[in-house]
């Protein structure tokens, strides 16, 4: 179960080969990385364009609003919003062959105003007007009559454009609109309000989010008006010790499902009450995910004896609907829409067992396209030319292999000849890193294959394979984007995690083997072997698990409504769902287990390890 702080569900199925093995368009080129076109910058410091998320830094230095330029020259720049302020400065500095040296930044609508040290630098910048940056043409002007800015950092004449008026309140509103434009994702569903005190727009307002409750309230009111579809909000790294400024969040965003309060200064769990039924007229009854990591309250609670159970208890008392806490799965006590456990949502149809199989999770269409392109190219090389994989593994790539020798228990496997066939896994077992069998720390470390050359040499020693990529139903993958710590000047880097399930035929034995494989993909740097080979990305991590054949029926989405379980209360339905998820029992045997223990969920769960060995294979999925 993964933390899904953004994105929507979509089908993810492998595609066959054809034409260019890797394809051309890549999501990384739209995220600020990959092969850059003329005039476009390399990956920015967060790996996303400014239209998705902000840089969260002040690369041009502190605001200078004293009104005296001291020989500096004002320059206006339009068409920069495809990148970040920092990437723009680096781009311009590279093009003119010296540092831009901007010491101030202000906004007027979509236009950025900066002060540069001399007319000579301003003239050099003027020559760049019309050049393409991050997909748009820059319009650069030297302001012989500088636009004056007041102490709050907004233009004193006509900042409000066609609206007129020029009042401070309207100017502040324009600034907050500009802030939201850099902090809401293109789909209008994710709002990133992390580290506001480091945001240049906030700094230009001379506002301190730590001491200005009205600022958060104004941002939330405006965000609700402009982006009513927001379901995910990130308040991380804001130094919040009180959540009173966020108390109306349920009224503004009644469908909020994901909330991060990570790395703040919350010392008492009672601060959460203003967002929950205990202290809010409009509590967060749809909340699915909550992140509290990095707050004193959570740190102290988790450090106490039996701290984890107590921590979950205190959070779920307030938010019973959450199924993800600090990016770890927890069993919800109530369905979305319920303020407290045991109070059914009269507007929601009860869930019935057995639950339908859902389709794959893919964050968005760009991620889907890149993943399909990558997988088709990768398996083409893996099956036909493993030497060619040297081009797409990162220099410091890490590979591990795990062999699961347990017999598959599905009904399908009981009669399938490929599942029943005895397979010699010895070639794989000698390098297997199955942590249930490899116990010693040194052995576990040595079983990791590190470095491009070592990874490719290891893959070359494995039996030849053929993946049936032309048959999409035999594969299923999940794929999502996240940020990781970057190298060099990059503080973070966008990567894509791909989890694929499928099968291959081993050559020449003709053994059919099921596999799971997890890739972590980073953008292929311009000029790298991966880019030269036409690959959109490089592989930084590769984890392969193989086992006896178990078919592909388990991930085929249900096409019909499930048969309802008879006469179960909503509470019993929830118990059954949770027990089925944790034990792997099918719907029939889940109900038998609960009935046997008088619908005592805790007893059924605690006794399951003792009775598991006595259950028949058909009791499991």
């Amino acid at each position: 179960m993964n933390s899904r702080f953004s994105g929507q569900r979509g089908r993810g199925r492998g595609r066959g080969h054809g034409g260019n093995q890797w394809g051309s368009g890549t999501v990384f080129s739209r995220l600020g990385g990959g092969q850059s076109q003329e005039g476009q910058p390399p990956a920015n410091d967060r790996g996303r364009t400014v239209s998705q998320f902000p840089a969260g830094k002040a690369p041009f230095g502190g605001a200078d609003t004293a009104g005296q330029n001291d020989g500096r020259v004002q320059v206006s720049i339009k068409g920069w919003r495809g990148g970040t302020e920092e990437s723009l400065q680096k781009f311009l500095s590279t093009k003119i062959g010296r540092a831009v040296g901007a010491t101030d930044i202000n906004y007027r609508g979509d236009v950025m105003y900066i002060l540069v040290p001399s007319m000579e630098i301003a003239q050099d910048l003027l020559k760049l007007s019309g050049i393409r940056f991050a997909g748009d043409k820059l319009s650069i002007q030297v302001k012989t009559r500088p636009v004056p800015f007041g102490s709050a950092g907004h233009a004193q004449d006509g900042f409000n454009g066609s609206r007129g008026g020029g009042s401070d309140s309207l100017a502040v509103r324009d600034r907050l609109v500009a802030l939201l434009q850099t902090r809401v994702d293109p789909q209008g569903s994710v709002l990133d309000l992390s580290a506001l005190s480091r945001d240049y727009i906030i700094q230009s307002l001379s506002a301190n989010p730590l001491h200005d409750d009205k600022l958060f309230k104004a941002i939330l009111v405006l965000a609700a008006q402009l982006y009513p579809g927001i379901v995910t909000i990130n308040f991380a790294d804001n130094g919040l010790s009180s959540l009173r400024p966020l108390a109306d969040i349920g009224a503004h965003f009644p469908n909020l499902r994901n909330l991060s309060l990570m790395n703040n200064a919350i010392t008492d769990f009672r601060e959460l009450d203003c967002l929950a039924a205990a202290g809010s007229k409009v509590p967060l009854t749809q909340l699915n995910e909550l992140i509290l990591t990095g707050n004193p309250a959570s740190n102290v609670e988790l450090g106490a004896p039996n701290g984890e159970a107590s921590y979950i208890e205190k959070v779920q008392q307030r938010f019973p609907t959450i199924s993800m806490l600090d990016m770890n799965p927890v069993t919800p006590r109530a369905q979305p829409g319920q303020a407290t456990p045991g109070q059914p949502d009269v507007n929601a149809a009860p869930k019935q067992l057995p639950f339908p199989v859902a389709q794959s999770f893919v964050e968005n269409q760009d991620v889907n396209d890149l993943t399909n392109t990558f997988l088709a190219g990768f398996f083409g090389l893996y099956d036909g030319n493993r030497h060619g994989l040297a081009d797409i593994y990162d220099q410091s790539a890490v590979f591990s292999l795990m062999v699961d020798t347990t017999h598959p228990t599905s009904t399908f496997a009981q009669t399938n000849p490929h599942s029943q066939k005895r397979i010699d896994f010895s070639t794989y077992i000698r390098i297997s890193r199955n942590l249930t069998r490899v116990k010693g720390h040194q052995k576990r470390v040595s079983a990791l294959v590190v470095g491009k050359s070592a990874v490719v040499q290891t893959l070359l020693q494995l039996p030849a394979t053929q993946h049936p990529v032309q048959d999409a139903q035999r594969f299923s993958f999940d794929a999502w984007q996240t940020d990781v710590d970057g190298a060099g000047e990059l503080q973070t880097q966008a990567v894509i995690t791909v989890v694929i399930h499928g099968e291959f035929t081993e050559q020449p034995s003709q053994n059919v083997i099921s596999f799971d494989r997890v890739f972590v993909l980073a953008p292929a740097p311009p000029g790298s072997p991966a880019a030269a080979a036409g690959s959109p990305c490089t592989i930084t991590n590769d984890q392969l698990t193989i086992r006896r054949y178990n078919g592909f029926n388990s991930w085929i989405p249900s096409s019909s409504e499930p048969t309802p379980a008879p006469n179960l209360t909503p509470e019993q339905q929830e118990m059954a769902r949770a027990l089925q998820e944790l034990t792997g029992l099918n719907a029939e045997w889940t109900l038998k287990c609960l009935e046997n223990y008088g619908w005592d969920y805790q007893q059924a769960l605690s006794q399951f390890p003792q009775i598991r060995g006595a259950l028949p294979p058909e009791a499991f999925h």
Side-chain angles (χ1 to χ4, degrees):
M1 192 171 186
N2 296 301
S3 171
R4 296 172 179 177
F5 225 62
S6 63
Q8 300 178 355
R9 290 186 174 271
R11 290 298 297 270
R13 296 285 183 255
R15 293 177 181 169
H17 304 283
N20 182 343
Q21 193 167 353
W22 296 101
S24 56
T26 80
V27 67
F28 286 111
S29 65
R30 291 182 284 277
L31 298 177
Q35 298 183 18
S36 58
Q37 301 174 7
E38 181 181 357
Q40 289 184 325
N44 61 40
D45 65 331
R46 289 176 64 92
R48 294 188 170 107
T49 62
V50 82
S51 63
Q52 294 175 303
F53 289 104
K57 301 174 69 177
F60 287 97
D64 180 356
T65 56
Q68 299 296 326
N69 291 353
D70 299 327
R72 292 172 293 172
V73 180
Q74 190 181 71
V75 175
S76 67
I77 304 173
K78 188 176 182 180
W80 62 279
R81 287 199 176 276
T84 65
E85 296 157 359
E86 185 170 3
S87 65
L88 175 64
Q89 181 176 1
K90 290 180 179 179
F91 172 71
L92 295 176
S93 297
T94 299
K95 288 300 180 181
I96 68 173
R98 54 178 160 173
V100 171
T103 56
D104 192 13
I105 180 171
N106 289 284
Y107 301 92
R108 181 178 180 179
D110 291 334
V111 182
M112 177 194 296
Y113 292 85
I114 63 175
L115 292 177
V116 297
S118 67
M119 179 59 74
E120 185 178 3
I121 292 178
Q123 291 296 335
D124 287 344
L125 293 176
L126 183 61
K127 295 175 183 177
L128 298 179
S129 187
I131 194 171
R132 296 192 69 84
F133 168 72
D136 289 324
K137 288 185 178 181
L138 294 178
S139 175
I140 301 176
Q141 296 180 2
V142 176
K143 309 303 290 185
T144 55
R145 298 182 60 185
V147 176
F149 288 86
S151 60
H154 54 265
Q156 292 178 330
D157 57 334
F159 182 86
N160 305 290
S162 60
R163 283 190 299 224
S167 70
D168 281 352
S169 61
L170 286 178
V172 170
R173 185 183 190 280
D174 280 348
R175 289 246 160 167
L176 295 182
V177 169
L179 172 77
L180 292 172
Q181 287 174 344
T182 68
R183 292 199 170 237
V184 176
D185 75 328
Q187 288 74 40
S189 62
V190 180
L191 173 59
D192 182 8
L193 293 178
S194 62
L196 280 181
S197 63
R198 299 197 295 270
D199 189 284
Y200 215 85
I201 295 177
I202 296 298
Q203 290 179 349
S204 70
L205 290 170
S206 299
N208 186 343
L210 298 180
H211 304 105
D212 192 348
D213 291 358
K214 294 181 180 179
L215 178 64
F216 275 113
K217 293 180 179 179
I219 292 173
L220 292 176
V221 168
L222 193 56
Q225 294 172 355
L226 299 177
Y227 305 99
I230 286 174
V231 295
T232 300
I233 302 183
N234 180 11
F235 288 107
D237 299 298
N238 279 303
L240 291 168
S241 59
S242 170
L243 297 182
R244 296 308 306 176
L246 316 182
D248 296 330
I249 193 172
H252 296 312
F253 304 103
N255 296 317
L256 190 71
R257 293 185 56 79
N258 312 295
L259 176 65
S260 174
L261 298 168
M262 184 168 58
N263 296 338
N264 279 289
I266 301 169
T267 59
D268 193 324
F269 283 97
R270 287 175 293 185
E271 285 295 333
L272 299 172
D273 290 347
C274 67
L275 309 180
S280 175
K281 293 181 180 180
V282 188
L284 299 177
T285 60
Q286 301 290 334
L287 200 62
N288 177 69
E289 178 175 6
L290 178 65
I291 300 179
L292 293 171
T293 305
N295 284 278
S298 57
N299 294 340
V300 170
E301 194 69 29
L302 289 171
N306 197 33
E308 183 175 1
S310 175
Y311 175 54
I312 295 174
E313 172 69 20
K314 288 185 176 182
V315 174
Q316 289 197 318
Q317 282 178 355
R318 296 163 171 88
F319 306 107
T321 60
I322 63 169
S323 60
M324 293 288 289
L325 176 59
D326 296 341
M327 293 179 281
N328 292 306
V330 295
T331 302
R333 297 183 177 184
Q335 294 300 315
Q338 294 180 223
T340 56
Q343 296 180 1
D345 180 1
V346 297
N347 297 316
K351 292 187 176 181
Q352 302 288 342
L353 287 170
F355 296 117
V357 177
Q359 57 192 3
S360 298
F361 171 80
V362 181
E363 184 170 346
N364 55 48
Q365 189 61 44
D366 284 339
V367 172
N368 182 71
D369 292 344
L370 179 138
T371 305
N372 273 296
T373 300
F374 164 77
L375 292 175
F378 176 84
F379 289 125
L381 290 175
Y382 193 88
D383 293 340
N385 177 24
R386 288 188 192 171
H387 288 281
L389 292 173
D391 290 333
I392 61 170
Y393 277 95
D394 187 78
Q395 284 290 349
S396 57
V398 178
F399 171 76
S400 65
L401 181 144
M402 194 272 277
V403 181
D404 181 0
T405 57
T406 58
H407 197 286
T409 58
S410 67
T411 303
F412 168 87
Q414 304 308 310
T415 57
N416 185 271
H418 292 299
S419 303
Q420 295 298 315
K421 183 178 180 181
R422 184 176 180 83
I423 296 177
D424 181 8
F425 281 127
S426 58
T427 304
Y428 303 96
I429 289 177
R430 65 183 179 78
I431 62 169
S432 176
R433 194 172 180 264
N434 187 334
L435 298 184
T436 64
R437 297 177 179 271
V438 181
K439 300 295 186 180
H441 174 73
Q442 187 58 41
K443 290 183 178 180
R444 290 182 174 186
V445 173
S446 62
L448 288 172
V449 183
V450 182
K452 174 195 295 190
S453 298
V455 171
V456 175
Q457 286 302 314
T458 300
L459 297 180
L460 288 171
Q461 295 171 26
L462 299 179
T465 57
Q466 186 62 49
H467 293 74
V469 293
Q470 72 284 352
D471 189 352
Q473 71 173 346
R474 295 180 181 272
F475 297 88
S476 175
F477 70 78
D478 298 336
W480 63 93
Q481 177 187 311
T482 188
D483 284 346
V484 298
D485 292 337
E489 296 182 357
L490 294 178
Q491 290 188 350
T492 59
Q493 179 184 40
V495 299
I496 288 178
T497 301
V498 178
V499 180
I500 182 170
H501 313 280
E503 64 186 68
F504 61 80
T505 302
E506 190 182 67
Q507 306 292 347
S509 67
Q510 295 300 303
N511 293 326
V512 181
I513 296 174
S514 291
F515 77 91
D516 312 297
R517 202 155 190 165
V518 181
F519 296 102
V520 178
L521 308 177
S528 66
S535 170
C537 44
T538 61
I539 304 170
T540 63
N541 295 79
D542 179 3
Q543 178 179 308
L544 172 62
T545 300
I546 63 170
R547 61 186 184 279
R548 291 192 192 185
Y549 186 60
N550 203 23
F552 51 86
N553 292 332
S554 59
W555 59 70
I556 296 178
S558 302
S559 57
S560 60
E561 290 297 318
T563 302
N567 303 321
L568 294 185
T569 67
E571 184 180 3
Q572 289 174 327
Q573 290 281 352
E574 181 56 35
M575 285 187 198
R577 184 206 63 76
L579 186 66
Q580 184 177 17
E581 181 178 307
L582 291 172
T583 62
L585 291 170
N586 62 30
E588 177 186 357
W589 282 83
T590 297
L591 296 179
K592 286 182 178 180
C593 183
L594 286 167
E595 290 169 353
N596 184 63
Y597 291 103
W599 286 94
D600 186 328
Y601 174 80
Q602 292 299 333
Q603 187 179 8
L605 184 61
S606 65
Q607 292 298 314
F608 176 75
Q610 283 72 45
I611 66 171
R612 181 187 180 102
L615 298 177
E618 59 268 22
F620 299 89
H621 290 298

